[in-house]
Amino acid sequence: SASKVEDEAEAWNHAVMLGDTLKKDEMLEHSAETLMHRLFWEQTLRVFEPLHPEFHCSCTREKVGDMLKMLGAAEIESAIAEAGRIDINCDFCGQHYGFDPV
């Protein structure tokens, strides 16, 4: 509902306003729990266990090959004619994929 969205926006703006009062030294010297208590002492806080995301690229030789197929045979043949092969590096993980005429 519109009032829920407005309430959430107001809560966010309030949190940002309080966060802006922190000084660099405070953030470096105190734990997150201490800072949250200082800023939000009037509210009931719930603290969740931290997540530790890990990067995993989903690229595969097959997916890169499928991308090349989308370029069309003429484009692929032209690229192979210039260099004898097509070399592609994944922009996310740096994995190298080489394709020759075969």
Side-chain angles (χ1 to χ4, degrees):
S1 72
S3 66
K4 181 179 178 184
V5 171
E6 290 170 0
D7 290 345
E8 289 173 354
E10 185 177 328
W12 175 253
N13 289 334
H14 181 70
V16 169
M17 183 181 69
L18 291 174
D20 283 343
T21 65
L22 290 173
K23 306 287 187 272
K24 181 180 176 181
D25 292 341
E26 286 179 291
M27 289 188 279
L28 293 173
E29 292 174 9
H30 302 290
S31 70
E33 291 80 14
T34 300
L35 294 175
M36 287 189 309
H37 178 71
R38 287 182 180 180
L39 293 176
F40 304 105
W41 59 273
E42 294 177 317
Q43 280 100 15
T44 302
L45 299 178
R46 286 186 301 166
V47 178
F48 298 95
E49 287 297 317
L51 298 176
H52 302 286
E54 293 182 21
F55 173 77
H56 173 73
C57 188
S58 62
C59 75
T60 63
R61 183 173 185 76
E62 182 180 358
K63 288 180 182 179
V64 174
D66 288 344
M67 181 272 305
L68 287 174
K69 289 176 189 174
M70 289 181 1
L71 294 175
E75 186 76 25
I76 293 170
E77 289 171 9
S78 173
I80 288 177
E82 287 181 25
R85 61 183 286 120
I86 297 176
D87 291 303
I88 297 177
N89 292 321
C90 176
D91 287 338
F92 297 103
C93 69
Q95 177 69 41
H96 175 76
Y97 297 97
F99 297 87
D100 59 27
V102 176

